[in-house]
Amino acid sequence: VNITERQALEFNFQATNIFNHAQYVPGYISDVAPIGYTSGEVTNLLRPTAATFNNPQAVFSNHPRNVVLVLKYIF
């Protein structure tokens, strides 16, 4: 929305994982960790003697819904 010739308001709506499907991947979607990075917790998922064996909910974040509302004033 233009207020004057030099001023404007901008509204932005961003939603991630809006349908809330579980995404069991290491780290967070917005994380900048290198590809292939796995911590000790991730490898414990595959060890039968570990407490978190075959329990992805205990190891990975399921990336819940995120909503961002932005109001930007441009001058």
Side-chain angles (χ1 to χ4, degrees):
V1 176
N2 291 330
I3 299 171
T4 65
E5 192 173 307
R6 293 184 178 180
Q7 298 177 359
L9 278 177
E10 185 178 303
F11 178 74
N12 193 355
F13 173 82
Q14 301 170 359
T16 57
N17 197 16
I18 194 74
F19 299 112
N20 204 23
H21 294 289
Q23 301 172 15
Y24 296 111
V25 295
Y28 295 98
I29 293 174
S30 60
D31 194 8
V32 292
I35 295 174
Y37 171 77
T38 55
S39 66
E41 292 179 2
V42 174
T43 56
N44 282 340
L45 178 70
L46 304 173
R47 292 188 185 137
T49 57
T52 58
F53 174 69
N54 201 21
N55 187 5
Q57 293 87 356
V59 177
F60 303 119
S61 169
N62 66 354
H63 306 291
R65 292 181 195 116
N66 291 321
V67 175
V68 177
L69 301 174
V70 178
L71 182 63
K72 188 189 315 184
Y73 175 64
I74 302 167
F75 58 95

